[in-house]
Structure formats: structure tokens, C-alpha cells
Amino acid sequence: PLVLKVYKWKEAEAALFELKSKGELLRNALAPPAGESAATDSTNEDTTAVAEASEPAPKQLTLEDTKTLIEDAKMAVARVYKPQALANARKGWPLLMALYGVFAIIFFLICFGTTKERVEPPAKQDTDPIKDWKSILSNGPWYLMFVLGVIVITGFVFRGATGYYYLVYYLKKQESVGLFYLTGTLGSVVGVLGMPFFTKFFGKKYLYMLCMGVGGALTFIYYIIPAEAFWAVLTLNTVIGVITGPTAALMFAMFADVADFGEWKTGRRTTGLVMAAAMLSLKAGGALGSLLNGAILEAFGYVGGALEQTPQAMLGILLLMSVIPGLLCIGGAGVVFFYKLDKKTMAKIEVDLKERKAKEDAGTPATA
């Protein structure tokens, strides 16, 4: 009854340990002393009285025995507790997503109402969707950034979606899922705050390569961290958040550079179309990551809602948490290596665009 009233794993484990310890002490106290024997009653002349062998002393529990008992008891409690937890989760997740949606609408409206256009298209540019698409399709860096968005977001989705299973089945820390994601988010915020400072020294291209490459390499460590090293996992998660945090802001800044390059090359400003294509690549990466994440888990034998997973399923969880997203992040850094809009190139493009705009304002024809 004491155990069934407990809803947190740590409290349950402590209660079970106390009950098992007291039960063992009681069993030892009530057990007959070693060496005591019982003689059989003999009332027949043809039978002889035979004494029973002395009973052995009750076995004293070792530390390993105690751990085994605790794990067995936890599994017994899980059969009562976890189905209810899963039922609550099925209600909680949709409600949480609905809450996110409400806040998203509010902040989208605030953004729409407070944002003003700072960069305008050339004064003589006509509205022609066909010309705009031709400008986009002739923009080489745009193709590269589209591929980058799909690759990197797929890797982020793998690690983000698998983090829950990693904590529940590998670390056995279901109660710490929120803390795990919180540390990563706070780390990302710190990383974003430091982005302007480091961009001045490295430029967007090389800072992105550095952050994504190092972050991807660190992600491999999830594969080798022992399950009991929970605080090491939180530390690693925070560090990865700090290092990869700037990459999201850097990616959108690089897409803006792609728009500047397109105007510099073709004379047409297509910022809206470039950003729309950027969002398409991110959505494609999110969809692909979600699809493949579920398919890979299923291929490794993952069973949703199970109390325990097979060793093969655990391998799939570990790979999706570490090696696979790490390789995709490093691959993203490799893609950016071929991105030619570095700090020096963009400085030249900005100067040319300013000179071109000055000529247009003066009434002098500008050439692309």
C-alpha cells in the first residue's frame, strides 16, 4: 500500500528499499537459529527415531541482491504506474501543442504589427513571378542552402525526438525529461547571445562550419556515456546547445546573403521568395526527420509503451541520439564548405549594391 501511493520513481525506490530492508530484518529475526534440529516422533517399534538435519542460517542479502530486488520491485510498480502515466501523456501532449499554438498566434501578430520593411527592392523592379523564379534558379548558393536546411534539420529532429526515449529507456530518468530539454534550450539561448561577437571574427560561413562540426562531433559522446552518468548527460546537452545555438540564426542570416547575391547577380530583389524557399527546406527536413526517425526505431524493434526495450531497440535509440545526428551535423558543415559567400565576398557585394542604389537614386542607369 505504501508503494502504490507513490508516483515518483525516486520516492518509490526509497520506499521499496525501506520495505525490503525491514522485511529482511524481520525474516532473520523470526528464522530458527542455526543448528536446531527436529526429531521425528516414533511410536512404532519397527521404526527408529531420526533427527532432521540442522536448518541452514538464512541467507544475508548482498548489495547486488538488494539491487536486484529493488529493480524487480520497480518493475512491479511500473506495471501499475506506467500505463496511467502513458494515458496521461496521451492527453498532455495534445494540450501542450495547443498551448504552443495559442502563444504562436499571439507572437506572430505582435511580430506582424511591429515589423517594418528595411530593405526594399530596386525602384524600377517590376512584379513578375516568372522573372523572380528565374532569378532564384540561377542562384547557386540558394541550392546549397536548401540542401543544408534539409540535412541539418533532419539531424536535429532525430536527436530531439529520440531524447525522450533516451531518457526513459536508457537513462531510466522519465521524471527528468523536462530538465533535459530545458538545459539544451538554455544553452542555445546563451549561444545565440554570443553569435554577433564571434561572427565579427569568423564570418557567418566559418562560424557555422565550426559550430556545426564541433556540435556534431560532441553528439557522438551520447553513445558512450554510461546510463548512470545523468549529470554528465545534462552537461553535454547544455554544451551542445551553446555550440549549436548560433546555427539557426546564422542560417537565416546566410539566406539573407543569398538574397543579396541574387540581386547583385541578376538585378532583381527576391528576398521573400528566398526566405519562403528557406522555410520549405526546414519543413522538408522536419518532415523527413520525423518519418525516418519512426521508421528506424521500428526497424530496430522498438515497441511503443513497453516497460522495457530489447537490446536491439536500445541500440537504435542510441544511434538516433548520437551517431546518426552527429554525422548529419558534420555533413552540414561539409556542405557549407562549398558556400562561396564568405565574409570577404559579402563585403564586396554590399559595397556594389550601395553604389548601384546610389546611381539609381541619382537617375543613372545601373547594371547588374
Side-chain angles (χ1 to χ4, degrees), residues 107-128:
F107 288 119
F108 282 148
L109 291 175
I110 293 174
C111 182
F112 177 77
T114 58
T115 301
K116 296 182 179 180
E117 289 287 351
R118 182 174 58 86
V119 179
E120 297 180 356
K124 297 181 179 180
Q125 177 173 315
D126 58 333
T127 302
D128 190 332

Side-chain angles (χ1 to χ4, degrees), residues 214-254:
V214 174
L218 290 176
T219 304
F220 284 91
I221 301 177
Y222 282 114
Y223 188 83
I224 61 176
I225 292 183
E228 60 272 14
F230 175 63
W231 289 105
V233 171
L234 286 186
T235 302
L236 175 64
N237 193 50
T238 305
V239 172
I240 292 177
V242 172
I243 293 175
T244 61
T247 58
L250 284 171
M251 179 177 288
F252 280 100
M254 292 162 72

Side-chain angles (χ1 to χ4, degrees), residues 58-311:
K59 177 186 176 183
Q60 297 296 321
L61 287 180
T62 65
L63 180 60
E64 290 302 319
D65 293 333
T66 305
K67 290 181 178 179
T68 301
L69 285 172
I70 294 297
E71 289 301 319
D72 291 343
K74 284 171 63 177
M75 291 297 295
V77 175
R79 293 187 180 92
V80 177
Y81 164 73
K82 197 163 186 177
Q84 182 60 42
L86 291 172
N88 291 340
R90 292 189 184 98
K91 297 177 182 178
W93 282 109
L95 291 176
L96 178 62
M97 294 300 105
L99 183 62
Y100 280 170
V102 171
F103 279 104
I105 292 173
I106 293 173
F107 288 119
F108 282 148
L109 291 175
I110 293 174
C111 182
F112 177 77
T114 58
T115 301
K116 296 182 179 180
E117 289 287 351
R118 182 174 58 86
V119 179
E120 297 180 356
K124 297 181 179 180
Q125 177 173 315
D126 58 333
T127 302
D128 190 332
I130 295 179
K131 291 181 179 179
D132 288 344
W133 274 108
K134 285 183 177 180
S135 175
I136 284 286
L137 296 177
S138 64
N139 192 328
W142 176 82
Y143 289 98
L144 188 143
M145 290 299 298
F146 187 92
V147 173
L148 174 67
V150 174
I151 292 175
V152 169
I153 297 303
T154 299
F156 283 170
V157 169
F158 278 161
R159 188 165 68 88
T162 309
Y164 176 82
Y165 309 117
Y166 180 76
L167 262 76
V168 172
Y169 293 109
Y170 182 68
L171 299 180
K172 308 294 184 184
K173 290 286 186 179
Q174 183 173 2
E175 73 279 3
S176 300
V177 170
L179 178 61
F180 174 80
Y181 286 110
L182 177 63
T183 56
T185 301
L186 292 179
S188 297
V189 171
V190 173
V192 171
L193 292 176
M195 185 197 72
F197 174 78
F198 291 105
T199 303
K200 292 180 181 179
F201 291 95
F202 297 99
K204 292 186 281 288
K205 172 182 176 177
Y206 292 107
L207 180 60
Y208 189 94
M209 289 177 60
L210 179 64
C211 290
M212 194 58 69
V214 174
L218 290 176
T219 304
F220 284 91
I221 301 177
Y222 282 114
Y223 188 83
I224 61 176
I225 292 183
E228 60 272 14
F230 175 63
W231 289 105
V233 171
L234 286 186
T235 302
L236 175 64
N237 193 50
T238 305
V239 172
I240 292 177
V242 172
I243 293 175
T244 61
T247 58
L250 284 171
M251 179 177 288
F252 280 100
M254 292 162 72
F255 269 113
D257 289 346
V258 169
D260 288 342
F261 173 77
E263 181 183 1
W264 177 77
K265 180 181 179 180
T266 66
R268 296 190 65 82
R269 186 79 189 177
T270 56
T271 306
L273 197 56
V274 169
M275 290 301 177
M279 293 305 301
L280 177 61
S281 71
L282 303 184
K283 298 296 184 183
L288 184 63
S290 299
L291 175 65
L292 293 180
N293 189 75
I296 293 173
L297 285 174
E298 184 178 0
F300 275 88
Y302 171 81
V303 179
L307 297 177
E308 293 289 337
Q309 299 294 336
T310 64

